[in-house]
Amino acid sequence: MHPLATERFLAAHLERMASRAQELQWQIDHRGVVAIVRMVHRPSSEIFRLVLLAEEYPLLPVGVEFLPIPDAQPMAKWPSDGNFVFRTASPRPFVCLSGVRSFTPDPTESVLAMGVDEIHVGAVLTNLDKAIHSDRYQGPVFVPLQ
Amino acid sequence: MAEKLIEVIVETMDGEAASVKANVENKVEHLMQRAAKELGIEGDIKLFDLMFEGKRLDPDAKIETTGIQQGSRVRLERRPKVG
């Protein structure tokens, strides 16, 4: 897929999320096939920054990484939900959620594991916001530099 | 007796929206089914949540008890699969 086509799909899909971004206090900075998203855990005002890597989107789901913060180990500050959506106990934390590149589907349902509507970047952001605001949310994981 | 009809804006996860009419005496699940049909969403409606003002609505609740009014915006969300 041509990168310009990917870029336009991503731009159009993010544009469709403008009202939700305002409602849920997301800030989205989109450049090329990359978007930086700032999300807030609204009850605590905790801020998370994500980088979305959208090569080959929407044919392939987006990659999602939480950005590290200064004075912390790379990938150190993550939302924690008991290792449900945010796998923080693995050597390299990752998001395990349908619609995200690092999602590992159940082999028994791999054909149906990721619907087109789940791959949509808006669905991904909505689900991430939902995960941060679920009852499982346990606050940020923070590992300072040694 | 006249139906108490309201029109609600239903958004999908990906930002698509449709206007859906509902009788406030019906259950939330009925509104979810109508919205799914209007938006061309397939699948078991029990796999979806209807969100209003940040809260999940009980599918068995009557619409008139939820605070939804004429012109309200709700969101139909498929419960995500997680790893």
Side-chain angles (χ1 to χ4, degrees), chain A residues 16 20 23 84-85 87 96 98 113 118 120 122 127 130, chain B residues 11-16 49 75 77-78 80-83:
Chain A
R16 255 166 74 169
R20 192 169 306 163
E23 176 198 343
F84 189 62
V85 172
R87 295 284 179 133
C96 197
S98 59
E118 290 172 295
H120 195 287
N127 279 331
K130 203 171 179 178
Chain B
E11 281 185 10
T12 62
M13 297 283 279
D14 59 13
E16 195 180 339
D49 292 327
R75 192 157 58 239
E77 297 183 353
R78 184 193 294 272
K81 303 182 192 86
V82 296

Side-chain angles (χ1 to χ4, degrees), chain A residues 18-82:
Chain A
S19 64
R20 192 169 306 163
Q22 192 171 17
E23 176 198 343
L24 300 179
Q25 301 172 34
W26 304 339
Q27 287 179 8
I28 303 173
D29 183 10
H30 164 229
R31 289 175 196 175
V33 297
V34 176
I36 306 290
V37 181
R38 177 184 178 275
M39 277 189 179
V40 181
H41 176 247
R42 293 178 288 281
S44 66
S45 300
E46 190 74 40
I47 292 169
F48 301 97
R49 291 171 72 225
L50 305 138
V51 57
L52 307 184
L53 305 167
E55 292 114 338
E56 300 295 317
Y57 175 85
L59 295 179
L60 291 179
V62 292
V64 177
E65 303 270 6
F66 279 86
L67 283 180
I69 57 167
D71 304 322
Q73 290 177 359
M75 318 307 296
K77 189 179 179 184
W78 276 63
S80 172
D81 64 357

Side-chain angles (χ1 to χ4, degrees), chain B residues 2-42:
Chain B
E3 286 188 338
K4 298 176 187 171
L5 282 179
I6 58 170
E7 204 160 342
V8 179
I9 309 297
V10 183
E11 281 185 10
T12 62
M13 297 283 279
D14 59 13
E16 195 180 339
S19 180
V20 178
K21 284 183 182 163
N23 183 336
V24 296
E25 293 182 342
N26 282 339
K27 288 182 178 179
V28 167
E29 186 173 348
H30 183 76
L31 172 60
M32 293 168 71
Q33 285 168 339
R34 292 197 67 152
K37 189 176 176 186
E38 190 71 32
L39 289 158
I41 294 172
E42 295 177 354

Side-chain angles (χ1 to χ4, degrees), chain A residues 64-145:
Chain A
V64 177
E65 303 270 6
F66 279 86
L67 283 180
I69 57 167
D71 304 322
Q73 290 177 359
M75 318 307 296
K77 189 179 179 184
W78 276 63
S80 172
D81 64 357
N83 234 19
F84 189 62
V85 172
F86 307 113
R87 295 284 179 133
T88 45
S90 65
R92 181 180 170 81
F94 66 99
V95 177
C96 197
L97 176 74
S98 59
V100 171
R101 212 168 280 193
S102 49
F103 175 68
T104 308
D106 182 335
T108 61
E109 57 173 32
S110 57
V111 175
L112 301 171
M114 234 183 265
V116 173
D117 57 334
E118 290 172 295
I119 287 175
H120 195 287
V121 68
V124 169
L125 292 177
T126 305
N127 279 331
L128 285 169
D129 190 282
K130 203 171 179 178
I132 289 169
H133 291 89
S134 73
D135 292 341
R136 290 173 175 271
Y137 178 76
Q138 297 176 346
V141 175
F142 182 79
V143 184
L145 282 174

